[in-house]
Amino acid sequence: MTKTNLLQGKKGVVLGVANKRSIAWAISKGMSDAGAELAFTYQNEKLKGRVEDLVSTLPAECPLFPCDVTDDEQVAALGEGLSRNFGSIDFLVHCLAFANREDLECGFSQTSREGYLLAQEVSSYSLTAVSRMAAPLMKDGGSIQTLTYLGSERAVKNYNVMGVAKAALESSVRYLAADLGEKGIRVNAISAGPINTLAARGISGFTDILGQVAERAPLKRNVETEEVAGAAVFLASDLSSGITGEVIYVDCGYNIVGL
Ligand code: NAP
């Protein structure tokens, strides 16, 4: 992405970097190129090294915090760490989701209670939990953003329980935006087209989805992670100061197509 100074003087945290293919990593590079100061999280000690190695390739030193979003104490500790390191923050990027493979693969009516609740907890409720943590740190207002997918509103084959979690996530974006707006905090979602990441490989038939999108999307191709990163930089920047509670599609236009 072209270097800009759109985020010069802004500080924020990115949740959801797993490896170099992660959408969160493309967003982090875009934000770093735009002048932002970044902090990162990792889900557990086993995965810390991978995130550490990636983050060390950025030009500035970035604090790293453990944060499994299902653990309230870790979310609270992340808030304390950010406050200690940065004093205040301007943005938070929530770029994570999880569902058990068996709950993605079975017919939707076979979804287990535990699998349903787990997908909701990690992929949807966590946005509310981290927004509550981040709001007091956004002393001059701020931007919270999350990643979603079209399977929230259409029945996409094999997306199943994750589609329902994304529907709840998008609704949470609207309620959080309404709740936090008077503090100058904006909350938005980016609905990305399919991208070949670790999480996406959990969806069976994912390669077919990539092929169909390239064939049918108005732009006749799949989206690049850098294009998602561009929207994320825009949403964290003052250029988007009038936008909140929205789901912005970065999907080469696939969502507008009927037959
Ligand atoms: P990814 O690289 O596999 O990222 C998923 C992230 O979720 C990983 O960093 C994973 O951490 C994290 N995570 C899972 N459970 C967690 C927990 N309990 N606490 C904290 N973190 C947890 O895949 P991605 O495709 O970039 O996914 C990022 C976001 O984009 C997700 O919300 C996904 O639904 C969304 N999205 C993806 C696509 C696509 O086609 N790829 C399209 C639209 C939207 P660990 O690996 O460390 O467990």
Side-chain angles (χ1 to χ4, degrees):
M1 200 188 302
T2 329
K3 279 198 189 280
T4 66
N5 57 4
L6 277 176
L7 301 182
Q8 204 68 50
K10 291 196 188 288
K11 294 170 280 192
V13 58
V14 180
L15 289 81
V17 174
N19 57 40
K20 67 178 191 325
R21 285 174 188 264
S22 295
I23 296 175
W25 181 238
I27 290 174
S28 306
K29 284 191 295 179
M31 289 183 158
S32 167
D33 283 351
E37 253 181 90
L38 297 173
F40 291 88
T41 63
Y42 54 91
Q43 199 200 328
N44 59 46
E45 285 305 313
K46 215 170 72 197
L47 304 165
K48 181 182 181 185
R50 236 172 24 189
V51 183
E52 243 170 5
D53 289 349
L54 276 176
V55 166
S56 68
T57 63
L58 292 176
E61 232 177 87
C62 307
L64 231 78
F65 303 98
C67 187
D68 180 329
V69 293
T70 62
D71 183 334
D72 284 336
E73 280 179 17
Q74 289 191 28
V75 174
L78 171 61
E80 285 156 22
L82 291 170
S83 171
R84 235 183 1 259
N85 277 261
F86 287 159
S88 63
I89 61 169
D90 304 287
F91 61 86
L92 177 145
V93 182
H94 172 276
C95 194
L96 55 94
F98 184 78
N100 286 326
R101 189 177 272 264
E102 55 272 25
D103 288 304
L104 289 167
E105 284 176 352
C106 65
F108 183 68
S109 62
Q110 302 303 313
T111 309
S112 66
R113 187 183 299 272
E114 306 85 271
Y116 184 98
L117 293 174
L118 177 68
Q120 287 284 344
E121 180 178 24
V122 178
S123 316
S124 168
Y125 178 71
S126 61
L127 179 68
T128 298
V130 299
S131 296
R132 189 167 55 243
M133 171 277 289
L137 298 173
M138 295 185 163
K139 294 174 183 155
D140 301 317
S143 165
I144 295 172
Q145 48 184 289
T146 186
L147 267 291
T148 187
Y149 177 61
L150 186 62
S152 62
E153 52 185 286
R154 311 254 183 95
V156 173
K157 199 171 169 205
N158 297 326
Y159 203 62
N160 295 334
V161 70
M162 188 55 83
V164 178
K166 291 298 193 192
L169 178 73
E170 290 175 21
S171 184
S172 304
V173 163
R174 291 183 283 272
Y175 278 100
L176 287 166
D179 185 21
L180 301 175
E182 64 187 5
K183 297 187 170 77
I185 298 172
R186 300 180 293 109
V187 186
N188 292 288
I190 297 173
S191 186
I195 293 170
N196 196 0
T197 62
L198 199 62
R201 283 191 220 130
I203 314 288
S204 52
F206 181 74
T207 317
D208 295 344
I209 296 179
L210 284 176
Q212 284 215 22
V213 169
E215 203 174 295
R216 298 183 59 198
L219 296 182
K220 301 290 173 221
R221 62 175 176 83
N222 280 286
V223 75
E224 304 283 340
T225 39
E226 289 68 25
E227 294 173 309
V228 178
V233 169
F234 167 70
L235 283 177
S237 81
D238 295 338
L239 288 181
S240 60
S241 57
I243 301 177
T244 194
E246 290 294 335
V247 176
I248 297 179
Y249 289 85
V250 184
D251 66 347
C252 296
Y254 183 78
N255 74 95
I256 65 153
V257 175
L259 287 177

